[in-house]
Every structure is written in structure tokens, then in C-alpha cells.
Amino acid sequence: MSDARTRLATVAAEWDELRPRLEPAALHTLSLLLAGLREATGEAADRAARHAARLLGEQLPDRFPDDGRLTAAPTSSRPDLGHLGFSADDLVVLVLDGHRMVGPVLGEVRERLLAAPSLGEAEAAERGCDPNAPGLIRLRGPGGPVRLPAFQFARDGRVVEVVPEVNLLLEADRDPWGAADWWLSPNAWLAEVPARLLGTVAELQVLTAARFLREGE
């Protein structure tokens, strides 16, 4: 038996070589399956991983000659399952987001971002925050629940007014990890970590910096 998530991690590690070999229709189907993997948990996520891995086996029989019976161990029980420092989540990012910061580098970034103050959806609701408010960054660790970076909420539980607009500019819905990294990393233009400026007189400068980032692309 082979593990579905290991296969997805292997494809992520070899993506530049393997992507051109996937038929357009198969790549489209893979995108749909990986979107399901990103949003699902538990058995639903396991099914999406198995289907995606099986599709890749069909498309790349020489790379995965022994298809066998695929398993999909829950990532919560095997969080380090991967290949050369890559994980199944990295393939999700490559296919859906086109983000090149994957593998060990993205793994380090994820760990740092998930270690920052955050709220679970239930915890946010208990504190009077709306975890389903539009425009929020939502981070999902391997096999874990959604985490909402705490800087997005004011002390009274309201979403900080400027946050959704900045997140829209950062395309947080498409690349939540990249958006969170922008908020929580030193910014040369602001000479500060953007999240630290929320609730200060310099708050609007964060919006200006995000606009400047988009204009410079």
C-alpha cells in the first residue's frame, strides 16, 4: 500500500518536471480535488487525497508504477508525512495558488505564522468576534482546524476596519499564508510590522502600503 499524501508531496517536490506531463483535463480535475482537500477535514479530506493521488497515478504511471491500494492517514496523526520536506499541502498551494514558496521554506513560514496569536472559530465566537466575517485571513495547519490571526480583531471583538480592505489587496482568499506573512513580517516601507500599527495613528499607512504593493506588481 502507498500513502496518498506521500504521493501528493512527491509530486509537489517534482512539480516543475511533472506538471507538463499532466493533460489539461486532468490538471483541471486535480485542481477541483485539491480545492476539496483544502476545505475538507477528516474522512472527506482523506477521500479527496486518495482521488487526487489516484489521478496522478493514472497520469504518471512510470513515476508511480505500483498503484496498489492507496491509504490516506489523517494528517493530524502523521503531521510530518511528506517527501524531501514537501507535504501534500504544498501541492495544494502550487496548483491552486501558483505560489512558489513551498516545501521546507513554506513549512518554516507556516510554523511561524501558526505560532502567532490566533483564535479558533469557536473561540472567536465566544469572544464576540464573527469568525465568518468576509475578508478575514483563515489559516489551516496540517490536519488542524481553521485559525484566525488575532490581529484582525479589535478588543471589543469587531473586525478592525482596515483589515478586510487590506486583505482584499493582498488576495488573502487565494493566498492566506502569503497575506498573513505580509501582516506579520517587518515591512521596509512602513519600518514596522504592519499588524503592530493597527489601532495606532499610523493605521491608514498600512492600507497605503498594501496599495503600493499592488501598484508595484
Side-chain angles (χ1 to χ4, degrees), residues 163-175:
V163 163
E165 189 170 357
V166 172
N167 285 345
L168 178 63
L169 292 168
L170 298 177
E171 298 184 332
D173 59 335
R174 184 184 65 82
D175 183 13

Side-chain angles (χ1 to χ4, degrees), residues 14 20 52-53 71 121 132 149 170 180-181 200 203:
E14 303 173 13
T71 65
E121 293 179 298
N132 299 311
L170 298 177
D181 190 42
T200 74
E203 182 175 290

